Amino acid sequence: MKRRSFATATGLALLLTSGAIAQDFDLDALIEAARAEPPLTVFDSTGKIVDIAEGFSAKYGIEAIGTKSKATAQMETIIREVQSGNVQTDVSLIADPAAVIGQLLPAGFVESWVPPDLEADIKPEARNPLLVVSSPNIFTYNTALFDTCPVTNIWQLTEPEWKGRVSMQDPLGKPSYTDWFNQMRSYADDRIAAAYQAQYGKPIESEFDSAAEAFVAALAANGPLLTDSDSSAAEAVAAPGQTEPFVGLVSAAKFRDNEGAGFTLGLCSGMNPIIGFANATVGVIVKGTDSPNAAKLFIHYVMTAEGIAPQAEDGKVSSNTTVGLPGDEPSGIGEHLNELLTYNAASGLDDWDTRQDWQDFWRIHYKR
């Protein structure tokens, strides 16, 4: 697959800059200014935004309406509103960082704002633009069928034993998967190659320019079960009564179904070289909002433990390093975060530019 060039780190930094950070940040003054502004409209791709908005309103006495909306719909709404000069959306939490970096920020539709008093606690790679949370997508197995994960190396998923028995969302309809492919090539290619050698006892040799491309091609050719949702992928692995051995790639949030729906999902910890990937959610303020201070206050709120608590329950990891996951989070991913391929926004523009290339690559190599 022909690879497009990366944007330089310097150029990307300039592209994403949202203005100088105030030296004398006063949270109390921000709260006072926010209370004088109109109510907030906030969107996110998870229904937990309703709970977050209600918590914000209760804490600050500022009306905020949270609505669940897919990333593509959020972006279309923002572009339409800004272009028409009729901005109704104030804050968007968008689970498609590459699209935000490639479309919304450079065109000036939104801005990224990092709370100055929290900046030191936010991971440097999550500040430009502001990544609110990372959502782990992890390899899982059925604990009712296996004592431990039956796969210890991702290359095993490309072998005949697992042909048609890997469930995952369709990369043609899930951009975070093609971003994962590109992030593997950008940041984990040496580890993918080393895992191949560990599995087969010889260096990887293929027609492709990278080990990541070779892995993606081999996975596609092994006929994974493609679904239109995490729920369906999780059902294939560990729904009650499931007797077929599947390994799935699903969101950590699906582990709540172990209690709620009787699922038996288990985390494939220790898989060489990664146990999955983390997709990031970008928090942005829409240009032209008539509640700029309230919008900043909301961003500040979701970067705290109190604000992000409803999502932390689902295994979503705050970029604020002082905020952890609850002890009863069902997937247990908190003990294995260093085994994930975390999202790096430095190549977000390249993720965006190569998205169609990766979709074509998957389409060419996929076999049922």
Side-chain angles (χ1 to χ4, degrees), residues 31-203:
I31 295 171
E32 183 178 357
R35 286 174 173 163
E37 294 176 342
L40 279 177
T41 297
V42 185
F43 289 95
D44 195 353
S45 58
T46 170
K48 292 298 181 73
I49 191 60
V50 175
D51 298 329
I52 293 174
E54 289 177 351
F56 173 83
S57 297
K59 182 178 182 67
Y60 294 113
I62 299 170
E63 184 180 353
I65 299 174
T67 302
K68 180 180 179 180
S69 178
K70 292 183 178 180
T72 51
Q74 289 184 61
M75 294 185 60
E76 290 171 1
T77 298
I78 290 170
I79 292 172
R80 184 173 62 251
E81 289 181 357
V82 175
Q83 287 180 335
S84 68
N86 183 26
V87 174
Q88 302 296 315
T89 304
D90 303 294
V91 177
S92 260
L93 306 182
I94 304 176
D96 191 343
V100 174
I101 293 168
Q103 277 193 311
L104 295 186
L105 282 165
F109 292 114
V110 299
E111 64 178 350
S112 175
W113 181 77
V114 178
D117 59 329
L118 302 178
E119 181 178 10
D121 296 325
I122 296 172
K123 298 175 182 179
E125 62 271 22
R127 298 175 189 166
N128 197 11
L130 178 66
L131 306 182
V132 176
V133 291
S134 294
S135 303
N137 294 269
I138 46 185
F139 287 107
T140 59
Y141 70 103
N142 191 334
T143 60
L145 300 180
F146 301 98
D147 292 331
T148 60
C149 183
V151 175
T152 59
N153 187 306
I154 61 170
W155 285 97
Q156 293 170 3
L157 300 175
T158 70
E159 296 175 352
E161 178 184 359
W162 293 100
K163 183 175 179 60
R165 297 188 183 276
V166 177
S167 62
M168 57 186 279
Q169 290 196 66
D170 189 345
L172 299 184
K174 190 70 173 177
S176 61
Y177 278 64
T178 53
D179 291 350
W180 168 45
F181 299 160
N182 203 55
Q183 292 267 318
M184 278 197 295
R185 184 174 63 179
S186 300
Y187 303 109
D189 205 64
D190 56 343
R191 287 187 282 162
I192 301 296
Y196 181 94
Q197 185 158 357
Q199 179 67 22
Y200 301 112
K202 61 181 180 180

Side-chain angles (χ1 to χ4, degrees), residues 257-285:
D257 289 336
N258 281 356
E259 180 176 350
F263 280 27
T264 48
L265 290 168
L267 172 63
C268 282
S269 59
M271 185 184 293
N272 185 14
I274 55 174
I275 63 172
F277 68 96
N279 183 48
T281 293
V282 185
V284 292
I285 298 172

